[in-house]
Amino acid sequence: MTVLPPARIAPSLLSADFARLGEEVAAVVAAGADWIHFDVMDNHFVPNLTMGPMVCAALRPHTQAPIDVHLMVEPVDALVPAFAKAGANIISFHPEASRHVDRTLALIRDHGCQAGLVFNPATPLDWMDHVMDRLDLVLLMSVNPGFGGQSFIPHTLQKLQQARGRIDRWQARGGQAIALEIDGGVKPDNIAGIRAAGADAFVAGSAVFGQPDYRRVIADLRQGIAQGDAQRSAAAEPDETIVS
Ligand code: DX5
Ligand code: ZN
């Protein structure tokens, strides 16, 4: 079993105070967040409406942390240059929302950003088969997209293990690094199992912004991640009953 890359915690602004977004970004980064997860919803691909490139550009001067843009929009391509110009670092999209997935992935990199593909709970991982070399990130949805505060769908853990296996095999053959991010219902009390299943980036919206002390909850999330690493190491130990 492979050792996972260092964990990244990406608080989702969807659950932040929209009247104080700049302060919220600065506060979660000061509290230990690695990335800022920026959920873009269009009331078409998903039944909700949130923020666009102008808000991303307005937040950019408030932090040096990478801005991880999750596009829940259809179509996708016209927004890629707009978000790149607005200072996004990572841009991810849902394959169902792009007519030409390979082209959209290339477009994101051509604009100087890292490219990610997002998998809804019922979207098969096969979508990554022919574009592995174009991916910087795979984002697995552990809820149906559109809203914060939903419960983690348990079977996502098996899908996460499968995605981890695909990425590990790709990298073992000399492929580039691909981050594996999970989004939806991540909490301090379930993050250990999610880490053990292979995630290395963790979106958390309501778990972080729903608490008064961001530093405390991010520390709790990191403690859970450490437990998940310990579970993986224990599972990787040779079984002495078989070895001896
Ligand atoms: C859902 C969004 C998530 C959401 C997660 O469509 O993509 O990023 O903010 O929120 P929680 O962590 O509350 O499930
Ligand atoms: Zn998201």
Side-chain angles (χ1 to χ4, degrees):
M1 197 174 287
T2 52
V3 175
L4 296 174
R8 311 282 185 197
I9 293 181
S12 164
L13 292 182
L14 190 61
S15 292
D17 180 349
F18 274 32
R20 303 169 41 248
L21 278 182
E23 291 164 49
E24 292 276 66
V25 164
V28 279
V29 173
D34 298 295
W35 296 348
I36 295 297
H37 188 77
F38 190 99
D39 285 308
V40 184
M41 304 185 186
D42 67 352
N43 187 37
H44 171 70
F45 184 69
V46 291
N48 203 349
L49 186 63
T50 59
M51 313 172 278
M54 290 170 73
V55 178
C56 183
L59 290 176
R60 186 65 281 181
H62 289 257
T63 185
Q64 302 211 332
I67 298 181
D68 169 32
V69 172
H70 174 191
L71 295 178
M72 288 162 274
V73 304
E74 183 181 4
V76 179
D77 290 7
L79 282 177
V80 168
F83 271 102
K85 197 169 168 216
N89 300 87
I90 305 165
I91 300 178
S92 304
F93 65 98
H94 292 249
E96 301 92 334
S98 168
R99 191 155 296 178
H100 306 286
V101 171
D102 180 276
R103 177 181 286 155
T104 304
L105 288 167
L107 183 69
I108 293 169
R109 283 185 168 178
D110 285 350
H111 282 81
C113 297
Q114 294 196 307
L117 207 52
V118 193
F119 295 80
N120 276 337
T123 303
L125 294 176
D126 300 0
W127 276 102
M128 70 173 88
D129 274 353
H130 305 287
V131 292
M132 288 299 277
D133 61 331
R134 294 211 184 275
L135 295 176
D136 299 297
L137 179 132
V138 164
L139 173 51
L140 289 198
M141 295 304 300
S142 38
V143 298
N144 284 292
F147 304 96
Q150 302 179 80
S151 298
F152 186 90
I153 297 173
H155 84 247
T156 316
L157 290 177
Q158 280 124 55
K159 197 172 178 187
L160 200 44
Q161 287 171 334
Q162 290 164 10
R164 178 84 260 155
R166 284 178 186 240
I167 290 170
D168 286 349
R169 287 191 292 279
W170 172 253
Q171 292 178 177
R173 293 203 306 269
Q176 82 287 358
I178 300 174
L180 179 54
E181 186 173 36
I182 188 89
D183 185 2
V186 176
K187 310 279 176 201
D189 66 6
N190 65 6
I191 199 169
I194 298 168
R195 174 64 165 180
D200 54 59
F202 303 82
V203 178
S206 51
V208 172
F209 289 105
Q211 296 292 323
D213 186 345
Y214 299 162
R215 185 173 294 278
R216 172 76 187 269
V217 68
I218 290 174
D220 289 347
L221 290 167
R222 290 208 194 278
Q223 197 174 21
I225 289 165
Q227 285 166 9
D229 283 330
Q231 287 173 26
R232 277 178 76 88
S233 319
E237 294 281 321
D239 185 338
E240 289 180 16
T241 57
I242 296 171
V243 170
S244 58

